[in-house]
Every structure is written in structure tokens, then in C-alpha cells.
Amino acid sequence: MQRWQLSLLKAFVWLACLAPFALLAARTAGLAGGLGADPVAEVLDTLGKTGLNLLLITLAVTPVRILTGLNLVARLRRLLGLFAFFYIAMHFTAFVWLDLQLAWGMIAGEIVLRPFITVGMIALLLLIPLAVTSTRGMQRRLGRKWVSLHRLVYPIAILGVWHYWWQVKADTREALVYIGILAALLGYRVFRSWQRQQRRRASTS
């Protein structure tokens, strides 16, 4: 693929990733149907689920690349991961700003006393070093440590789905879909690791 084609593809991914935020902004302004009866909950839900969706899409890059042979998708992983961080950080910002009204004295209590918020906060804190070290320069400086560091995306995804599961009050069907997708993505990696071990054993026997 030529450079201009890659640039065009990245521009499309930018637009696709920004679309939920643009739509949310329009709804906040009273357009596109508004935010419904509980606008704060709608903002939190939209930002959180978009971040979780992008996190799982980022995890799906490797299986898609291997199964389809489209190595190009690997070049979109960093962009998708950064957008996932953006939405999850905005989710937390909206929680502090809109839900808690910047009542800083309440924030620590909410994080400690409400387990689903604790889990979500841990996921966000683990995401920060991944976002900071996402550049090619940091990848070169860290070398093998960069790969080990960015494996944190697996526990982050687990914590993200866990956070969503715990905060669902009644209808858990959508949360179960997220659990199934995450199980498939992680299960595929376990299977690939098992395959590699079998090949190494076969080659040394």
C-alpha cells in the first residue's frame, strides 16, 4: 500500500473514532434527539462504552492480522489504542465533573467505597503509561521492555469489562456480550501460545 493510501485509511479511522464524540456533543447541544431523561448517565455511558469498544477493537487487531493476512491493520493499532484512552479518560472526567460536580472530597471516597469505580480507576491508571509510551521513539528506547509494558492491555481489558459488568443494574445481556468478545480475544491468544509451544517441542524432539 502506498503512503497516500495509508494516510487516507488513517484519516478514515480518525473520523470513525471521533464520530461518537461529535454525535455526543451534538446531543448535548440539544440536537440529534438530545440526551434523554438522565443526561449525565447518558454521557457517562456513551463515553465509557465507546472507550471499551475501541479497547476491544485494539485487541482484535492481532487476530484479524493473523487470520486475514492483512498486516496493514497492525499500523492502526496505536491510533485505536490512543482513542480508547481518550474516551476512557473523558469518561472519568465526566464522572468527576458532571456526576460529582468536582466535589474533590467525595472522589476518593467514591473510588474506595464503590468497587466498580475502583476497578475502573485501576484500568485508567494502567492505561496512562501505555498512552505515554505509544510513540515509536519510546518503543525504540524501551526495547523489549516496551512489549512487556504494553501487555498490560490484557488486564486493562479485563478490568474494563469487569467495571462495566459491575455497574449494570438490571439487564446484563450487553455485559455478557462484552465478556464473550473478551473471552474470545484472549482465548485466541492462549491458543496461539499453545500452538507455538507445540511447534517448539516438535522441533526439539
Side-chain angles (χ1 to χ4, degrees), residues 139-201:
Q139 187 174 356
R140 286 193 297 270
R141 290 190 196 98
L142 293 174
R144 291 182 179 179
K145 291 180 181 178
W146 187 91
V147 176
S148 299
L149 176 64
H150 280 252
R151 284 181 181 146
L152 283 174
V153 70
Y154 304 135
I156 289 169
I158 293 170
L159 290 169
V161 171
W162 190 0
H163 168 75
Y164 181 60
W165 168 265
W166 263 1
Q167 63 92 33
V168 172
K169 294 180 174 62
D171 192 349
T172 60
R173 287 175 296 180
E174 194 170 11
L176 288 171
V177 171
Y178 279 107
I179 292 171
I181 293 171
L182 178 62
L185 292 171
L186 296 182
Y188 177 79
R189 285 168 167 81
V190 171
F191 175 70
R192 288 282 299 178
S193 177
W194 176 80
Q195 278 188 321
R196 286 193 294 270
Q197 289 177 0
Q198 294 302 307
R199 291 194 195 103
R200 282 196 294 267
R201 289 173 183 172

Side-chain angles (χ1 to χ4, degrees), residues 56-70:
L56 294 179
I57 291 171
T58 304
L59 278 178
V61 166
T62 295
V64 169
R65 178 183 62 80
I66 294 171
L67 294 173
T68 66
L70 295 173

Side-chain angles (χ1 to χ4, degrees), residues 22-155:
L23 179 59
L24 181 62
R27 294 173 65 195
T28 303
L31 306 174
L35 292 172
D38 191 345
V40 172
E42 186 64 21
V43 169
L44 288 170
D45 187 59
T46 300
L47 292 171
K49 284 205 288 190
T50 303
L52 185 55
N53 290 342
L54 286 168
L55 189 60
L56 294 179
I57 291 171
T58 304
L59 278 178
V61 166
T62 295
V64 169
R65 178 183 62 80
I66 294 171
L67 294 173
T68 66
L70 295 173
N71 294 325
L72 173 68
V73 296
R75 303 181 71 171
L76 303 174
R77 179 164 37 211
R78 179 174 60 177
L79 182 58
L80 291 166
L82 286 172
F83 267 112
F85 172 72
F86 166 74
Y87 277 102
I88 292 169
M90 289 299 295
H91 173 69
F92 175 73
T93 301
F95 167 67
V96 171
W97 183 18
L98 301 178
D99 198 5
L100 298 185
Q101 298 290 309
L102 297 178
W104 300 106
M106 294 177 58
I107 294 172
E110 289 287 296
I111 292 172
V112 171
L113 297 176
R114 300 175 71 182
F116 81 94
I117 297 177
T118 307
V119 167
M121 190 64 195
I122 293 171
L124 175 59
L125 291 175
L126 291 177
L127 265 174
I128 293 173
L130 271 63
V132 170
T133 60
S134 63
T135 64
R136 291 178 182 174
M138 289 300 297
Q139 187 174 356
R140 286 193 297 270
R141 290 190 196 98
L142 293 174
R144 291 182 179 179
K145 291 180 181 178
W146 187 91
V147 176
S148 299
L149 176 64
H150 280 252
R151 284 181 181 146
L152 283 174
V153 70
Y154 304 135

